[in-house]
Amino acid sequence: MIEIKKISTKKEIGRFIDFRTELYKDDPCAVPYLFMGECDDLDKKKNPAFDFCEAEYFMAYKDGREAGRVAAIINHKANELWKQKCVRFGYFDFIDDVEVSEALINNVKEYGAAKGMDSIIGPMGFVDMDREGLLVEGFDTMATMHANHNFPYYSKHLERLGFVKDNDWVQQLVTVPEKVPEKMEKITQMIGKRYNLKAHKLTKQQLLKEGYGLRLFHVLNECYKDLYEFSELTDRQIDNLLKNYIAIADLNLVTFIFDENKKSEEHPDGEMVGFGVSFPSFSEALRKTKNGKLFPFGWFHLLRTLKWHNTDTVDLLLIGVLPEYRAKGANAILFDDLIRWYQKYGFTKALTLAMMETNDGVLSAWQYFESATVKRLRSYKASL
């Protein structure tokens, strides 16, 4: 017998998060997501996405035992922008039982239909900065805290329930070269001279107190505006991202491109036209925590990775260059600078952000490196 319960209390949310961790405890490639971060994302008072989203969370029980979970999410801002009436399903995890997966999806459908929606898509988070897509290739590669990881049977369940592919993303594993590729170095020097574009490092004071962090995400909004299901980040969302990511980042691993032809009183360094944000991979550190929790000793493993880079892999989380500068080859400036820091820190591999399979402009950036596609994630869609 399958029973579905709507959950809302702090204790229930904790079980909602822990269910996934326990489901994957024997998967050698899975990592627990950071428990505190998951709590904040699901908290309707803390997550700024709830300024324009609404959601409910459900747990499935089979014969009285936890068997699955799902979030039903409506992003009204994205729906309005993309002229659609979609309910999203996210945080979707379940045992290999079609009755369980079907019951969970049916609850999302019922929730969406009651709100006037006519289609369902997922797995998706509240916004584009959240994890999105179902893993359909790359089950044997190490997961990260920034992307979904799931068992192979998930996609079979969705396809059996009538879902079809809506979008694919790919992730590439790049070998960090021993030296910057000669062609990239020449391009960097050439466009630096021709267009006066330069790599810049910024301080936390500049990013958090002097408005540069806000400028970073305004550039991101412009770069990402045409991407699948993206909706512009609000200032509240930006403040949240600055607090949770930029405030703790090793800024040697964060590079900005400035057009120094556009210096002004307001922008004495020039106009910010691109950025690259990377972090050392926390995957191994998270595996050493107790279910992704910081206490009692989880914080130590994460701190070691953040401060002393005791990993051979760096995660490229965000890359953005304004279209008119991308055409000038400005991406080379980012990689030229970042590679030098990866070499200093001893990183030998870089895992890219999830990139849309149709985004040729971004995918072509890896042509200078030894790289391979190691993961593919897919969103699915169905009518209600």
Side-chain angles (χ1 to χ4, degrees):
M1 177 180 175
I2 309 299
E3 181 184 12
I4 303 292
K5 291 183 180 178
K6 185 168 71 173
I7 64 165
S8 58
T9 69
K10 185 177 180 179
K11 182 178 180 181
E12 290 171 337
I13 294 294
R15 286 305 311 155
F16 184 87
I17 297 167
D18 283 340
F19 171 79
R20 181 201 176 271
T21 305
E22 293 169 8
L23 184 66
Y24 286 89
K25 67 181 186 298
D26 296 323
D27 183 337
C29 291
V31 301
Y33 300 136
L34 189 61
F35 184 85
M36 184 172 67
E38 296 291 279
C39 286
D40 287 350
D41 287 345
L42 295 167
D43 191 321
K44 298 178 182 180
K45 294 180 180 179
K46 290 184 177 180
N47 188 341
F50 281 97
D51 289 349
F52 49 85
C53 290
E54 56 180 306
E56 296 291 353
Y57 314 130
F58 303 96
M59 287 284 293
Y61 299 82
K62 182 170 184 177
D63 300 327
R65 301 182 63 179
E66 293 175 349
R69 67 171 195 169
V70 74
I73 302 166
I74 298 176
N75 182 324
H76 294 288
K77 187 176 179 180
N79 278 349
E80 181 178 354
L81 177 65
W82 294 95
K83 296 178 173 54
Q84 62 189 17
K85 295 181 179 180
C86 284
V87 59
R88 302 177 173 198
F89 65 94
Y91 299 86
F92 187 45
D93 294 287
F94 51 92
I95 63 172
D96 191 4
D97 186 313
V98 174
E99 289 185 343
V100 172
S101 57
E102 184 173 23
L104 288 166
I105 288 295
N106 283 344
N107 267 263
V108 178
K109 288 182 174 181
E110 290 169 9
Y111 174 83
K115 299 286 185 175
M117 303 297 106
D118 59 19
S119 60
I120 176 172
I121 58 171
M124 299 285 289
F126 299 97
V127 295
D128 192 66
M129 295 292 102
D130 297 332
R131 292 183 295 271
E132 52 192 3
L134 194 75
L135 188 67
V136 295
E137 294 176 13
F139 303 102
D140 58 349
T141 56
M142 183 63 69
T144 73
M145 65 183 289
H146 310 293
N148 282 327
H149 177 85
N150 52 263
F151 292 123
Y153 64 77
Y154 279 37
S155 59
K156 296 176 184 177
H157 283 234
L158 286 177
E159 289 162 9
R160 181 172 176 175
L161 293 171
F163 283 84
V164 296
K165 171 184 171 180
D166 198 38
N167 187 64
D168 268 19
W169 298 264
V170 294
Q171 288 184 273
Q172 290 190 289
L173 190 65
V174 180
T175 299
V176 176
E178 293 182 0
K179 58 181 293 186
V180 176
E182 184 178 352
K183 185 176 181 180
M184 175 172 286
E185 200 167 22
K186 288 181 178 178
I187 291 173
T188 299
Q189 293 171 358
M190 182 269 290
I191 61 179
K193 292 178 180 178
R194 179 177 296 178
Y195 302 115
N196 214 15
L197 302 178
K198 300 289 168 52
H200 281 250
K201 296 296 188 185
L202 298 174
T203 65
K204 284 190 169 61
Q205 171 72 20
Q206 289 174 303
L207 287 164
L208 302 178
K209 303 295 185 182
E210 297 178 16
Y212 284 86
L214 193 64
R215 288 165 64 187
L216 184 167
F217 286 103
H218 285 169
V219 172
L220 181 147
N221 278 336
E222 180 64 24
C223 291
Y224 288 19
K225 65 181 182 180
D226 297 322
L227 297 183
Y228 175 82
E229 289 293 322
F230 180 78
S231 58
E232 184 177 284
L233 296 172
T234 66
D235 285 353
R236 280 197 68 216
Q237 288 177 278
I238 292 172
D239 287 342
N240 196 53
L241 289 165
L242 289 172
K243 177 182 72 176
N244 290 330
Y245 290 95
I246 302 302
I248 65 169
D250 179 342
L251 294 181
N252 290 328
L253 300 177
V254 181
T255 300
F256 301 89
I257 304 174
F258 281 79
D259 183 343
E260 295 187 352
N261 289 317
K262 296 186 176 181
K263 290 182 179 180
S264 64
E265 186 175 341
E266 183 181 4
H267 303 306
D269 298 315
E271 184 178 315
M272 185 188 297
V273 299
F275 59 85
V277 179
S278 52
F279 272 73
S281 172
F282 290 114
S283 295
E284 289 296 342
L286 283 166
R287 287 172 62 83
K288 294 175 182 177
T289 66
K290 184 178 180 180
N291 296 338
K293 296 179 174 68
L294 291 179
F295 299 101
F297 303 114
W299 63 271
F300 175 70
H301 300 296
L302 295 173
L303 183 64
R304 284 185 65 202
T305 299
L306 188 63
K307 296 297 184 183
W308 294 289
H309 317 106
N310 62 332
T311 175
D312 63 358
T313 305
V314 62
D315 290 337
L316 284 161
L317 298 188
L318 293 173
I319 294 175
V321 176
L322 291 174
E324 59 268 37
Y325 293 92
R326 200 181 307 143
K328 295 175 180 178
N331 286 36
I333 296 176
L334 285 177
F335 295 126
D336 181 275
D337 182 79
L338 288 172
I339 287 169
R340 298 175 195 276
W341 283 102
Y342 297 166
Q343 292 166 340
K344 288 180 183 180
Y345 285 156
F347 297 131
T348 59
K349 295 177 288 186
L351 183 66
T352 71
L353 71 163
M355 305 167 287
M356 288 176 60
E357 65 175 351
T358 57
N359 193 342
D360 294 331
V362 174
L363 291 170
S364 65
W366 312 112
Q367 63 183 299
Y368 302 104
F369 307 103
E370 179 184 337
S371 64
T373 299
V374 292
K375 294 177 185 286
R376 180 176 292 270
L377 298 117
R378 178 168 298 162
S379 64
Y380 288 85
K381 189 170 186 177
S383 298
L384 294 187

